[in-house]
Amino acid sequence: MFTIEQIKEAHSKVKSGADFPNYIQDLIILGVKGYDTFVNDGHVQYYGINNYTVTSDEKYNLIAIAASANKERFIEFLVMHQGGQTDYLTFCNHAGQCGIARWRVDIIEMTCTYFDQSNSEILIEKISA
């Protein structure tokens, strides 16, 4: 099974959203089936087969999550990030401002789903990796 240290090594190669597809490929090799990233503090729960999970520590100071989601504005920020125009922490701050509480990457389905605080799906995007 994979470890947080192995995941951290793969993640260390990510400098912007443009690096995301290679990161997904690295996670597949490790056996990661998906993960949830929590915007408020950056901790991530990774899951694999047989209900195996590992959770990373928080990554940064608390980010406030807006009470209601602004999907249109979030999509603008997401496109900027995926184009390499923002770093990870800036993207997380933008997500919080737009009411995104967490996102789930499903490596099996190759989707990334963004959720608000009430766990409603705000956006589902297909991952091309």
Side-chain angles (χ1 to χ4, degrees), residues 14-28:
V14 178
K15 303 304 178 212
S16 74
D19 299 321
F20 186 73
N22 290 335
Y23 175 59
I24 292 297
Q25 291 301 318
D26 288 345
L27 293 181
I28 290 169

Side-chain angles (χ1 to χ4, degrees), residues 44-107:
V44 182
Q45 184 172 34
Y46 299 88
Y47 48 94
I49 59 170
N50 299 324
N51 295 319
Y52 178 77
T53 63
V54 293
T55 303
S56 71
D57 294 330
E58 62 277 355
K59 289 189 172 89
Y60 44 73
N61 294 329
L62 286 179
I63 292 175
I65 309 299
S68 61
N70 182 338
K71 180 179 179 177
E72 293 74 23
R73 185 68 177 129
F74 176 66
I75 290 170
E76 292 174 11
F77 286 136
L78 180 61
V79 169
M80 288 172 49
H81 185 63
Q82 290 173 338
Q85 298 176 45
T86 59
D87 64 18
Y88 182 74
L89 185 56
T90 300
F91 174 69
C92 291
N93 276 288
H94 287 158
Q97 291 167 18
C98 293
I100 303 300
R102 72 177 172 95
W103 61 82
R104 168 170 283 179
V105 171
D106 184 325
I107 293 175

Side-chain angles (χ1 to χ4, degrees), residues 2 6 23 32 38 67 73 75 91-92 95 99 102 119-120 125:
F2 51 86
Q6 289 172 310
Y23 175 59
V32 176
F38 296 84
R73 185 68 177 129
I75 290 170
F91 174 69
C92 291
R102 72 177 172 95
N119 242 5
S120 297
E125 64 175 343

